[in-house]
Amino acid sequence: MSAARPGLRRLRSAAGSGAFLQPGISLPCRAGSQIQGAPGVPRQSRRRKSLAIAYEAGQGDGAEPRRARWEPQHWREQLQRIRDMRSSRDAPVDEMGVHRCYDSSAPPEVMRYQVLLALMLSSQTKDQVTSAAMLRLRRRGLTVDSVLQMDDETLGQIIYPVGFWRNKVKYIKQTTAILKQKYGGDIPSTVEELVQLPGVGPKMAHLAMHIAWDSVAGIAVDTHVHRISNRLKWVKKETKSPEETRVALEEWLPRDLWKEINWLLVGFGQQTCLPVKPRCSQCLNQDICPAAKRL
């Protein structure tokens, strides 16, 4: 074996392994051992000491550093101001929305069926028209069996003039038959099953979960929620459809607000943040709204 380099002295541990030690540098010893030839070095504790290792960002087990969750600027203040503007609860959705269209005294499965039908009728239809159509249906006894026994022409006459009423007659009859055969006259209890029904989209499914099952599975996004979310920049980038908006909102909006947000924004969109000629001068958010027309 070659001689040790100058300045290094060779030490042998109690285990018999050799190592070169530079003066001024000590070597760790195994528990209960002592370096031979190095008097005064105390025996170490038999208990091994574990050291916590802190990694810099990007080091360690390969996990990426946790990023701060994105959220829109001023959104909490904007939301509270919308609450203030909606405090009177006098928008069409408050007085004639789907939650007002079903018979609350009916058996639970009948009530849930009526909620689903009201949602199907409400697509592309004003709340006033949906409410009137539901009232006419209920006067005839609105149940799964009564709709299945009704011919298409009669059903069409009752629900007219809701938007796309001919298509809705077809969807209502198809969906009602599925509910009878597969769910015993009740409606599905999951969004995944609800959207499989003819004529039922994601917004209807989430609202059905809210109203019929008192369960929050996601945000119900209609044209009002979609429009206002983009105007307020509550989405990272502009979204092209209500479903895109739903996904974008659910990424950052606290879950305990998911149920409230539909009711707030729909009424706000009906009264203030209109699709055409929004009433920005009457809006409490005009100073912090990116889309506000400051008059």
Side-chain angles (χ1 to χ4, degrees), residues 75-93:
W75 77 268
R76 293 185 185 275
E77 188 174 1
Q78 291 166 339
L79 179 63
Q80 185 54 52
R81 291 182 183 184
I82 293 173
R83 286 192 183 113
D84 294 341
M85 289 183 278
R86 293 280 288 113
S87 60
S88 59
R89 295 174 177 261
D90 55 0
V93 69

Side-chain angles (χ1 to χ4, degrees), residues 48-112:
R48 289 191 175 187
K49 296 181 180 180
S50 59
L51 299 178
I53 302 175
Y55 293 100
E56 297 290 339
Q59 295 182 350
D61 60 0
E64 294 184 1
R66 189 172 183 179
R67 298 179 181 179
R69 184 182 65 178
W70 177 89
E71 60 181 37
Q73 188 177 22
H74 305 305
W75 77 268
R76 293 185 185 275
E77 188 174 1
Q78 291 166 339
L79 179 63
Q80 185 54 52
R81 291 182 183 184
I82 293 173
R83 286 192 183 113
D84 294 341
M85 289 183 278
R86 293 280 288 113
S87 60
S88 59
R89 295 174 177 261
D90 55 0
V93 69
D94 301 310
E95 300 171 354
M96 292 167 283
V98 169
H99 66 290
R100 299 275 191 177
C101 290
Y102 63 88
D103 182 3
S104 59
S105 64
E109 66 275 8
V110 174
M111 179 273 290
R112 289 189 286 266

Side-chain angles (χ1 to χ4, degrees), residues 13-25:
S13 68
S17 60
F20 290 104
L21 183 67
Q22 189 173 356
I25 297 179

Side-chain angles (χ1 to χ4, degrees), residues 36-245:
Q36 295 181 357
V41 179
R43 291 178 176 270
Q44 296 188 9
S45 170
R46 293 182 178 275
R47 181 180 300 173
R48 289 191 175 187
K49 296 181 180 180
S50 59
L51 299 178
I53 302 175
Y55 293 100
E56 297 290 339
Q59 295 182 350
D61 60 0
E64 294 184 1
R66 189 172 183 179
R67 298 179 181 179
R69 184 182 65 178
W70 177 89
E71 60 181 37
Q73 188 177 22
H74 305 305
W75 77 268
R76 293 185 185 275
E77 188 174 1
Q78 291 166 339
L79 179 63
Q80 185 54 52
R81 291 182 183 184
I82 293 173
R83 286 192 183 113
D84 294 341
M85 289 183 278
R86 293 280 288 113
S87 60
S88 59
R89 295 174 177 261
D90 55 0
V93 69
D94 301 310
E95 300 171 354
M96 292 167 283
V98 169
H99 66 290
R100 299 275 191 177
C101 290
Y102 63 88
D103 182 3
S104 59
S105 64
E109 66 275 8
V110 174
M111 179 273 290
R112 289 189 286 266
Y113 174 66
Q114 291 182 2
V115 168
L116 184 60
L117 245 62
L119 288 167
M120 295 176 72
L121 294 176
S122 70
S123 177
Q124 303 294 312
T125 304
K126 292 184 179 298
D127 288 327
Q128 299 90 324
V129 177
T130 300
S131 178
M134 282 297 295
L135 183 59
R136 292 191 296 271
L137 282 168
R138 285 172 54 191
R139 284 173 179 166
R140 296 178 66 100
L142 182 53
T143 65
V144 166
D145 290 333
S146 68
V147 169
L148 289 176
Q149 293 167 7
M150 197 180 300
D151 60 73
D152 291 3
E153 182 179 356
T154 301
L155 180 57
Q157 290 173 350
I158 296 174
I159 69 172
Y160 179 86
V162 300
F164 305 99
W165 64 273
R166 289 186 178 87
N167 286 337
K168 289 177 181 178
V169 166
K170 178 178 65 175
Y171 294 146
I172 287 172
K173 295 300 286 286
Q174 291 174 347
T175 288
T176 303
I178 293 172
L179 298 181
K180 177 73 172 180
Q181 297 166 5
K182 190 173 180 180
Y183 298 97
D186 209 336
I187 72 172
S189 58
T190 67
V191 169
E192 291 75 17
E193 291 176 292
L194 283 164
V195 295
Q196 297 300 315
L197 299 172
V200 177
K203 180 207 77 171
M204 299 180 205
H206 286 294
L207 279 175
M209 294 299 296
H210 294 179
I211 301 170
W213 292 108
D214 192 26
S215 174
V216 179
I219 300 173
V221 177
D222 69 348
T223 56
H224 295 291
V225 179
H226 171 61
R227 177 180 72 255
I228 295 168
S229 295
N230 277 275
R231 285 179 176 175
L232 290 175
K233 302 296 184 184
W234 281 8
V235 290
K236 285 184 182 181
K237 60 180 181 179
E238 183 180 1
T239 52
K240 303 298 183 182
S241 68
E243 184 61 9
E244 283 186 31
T245 301

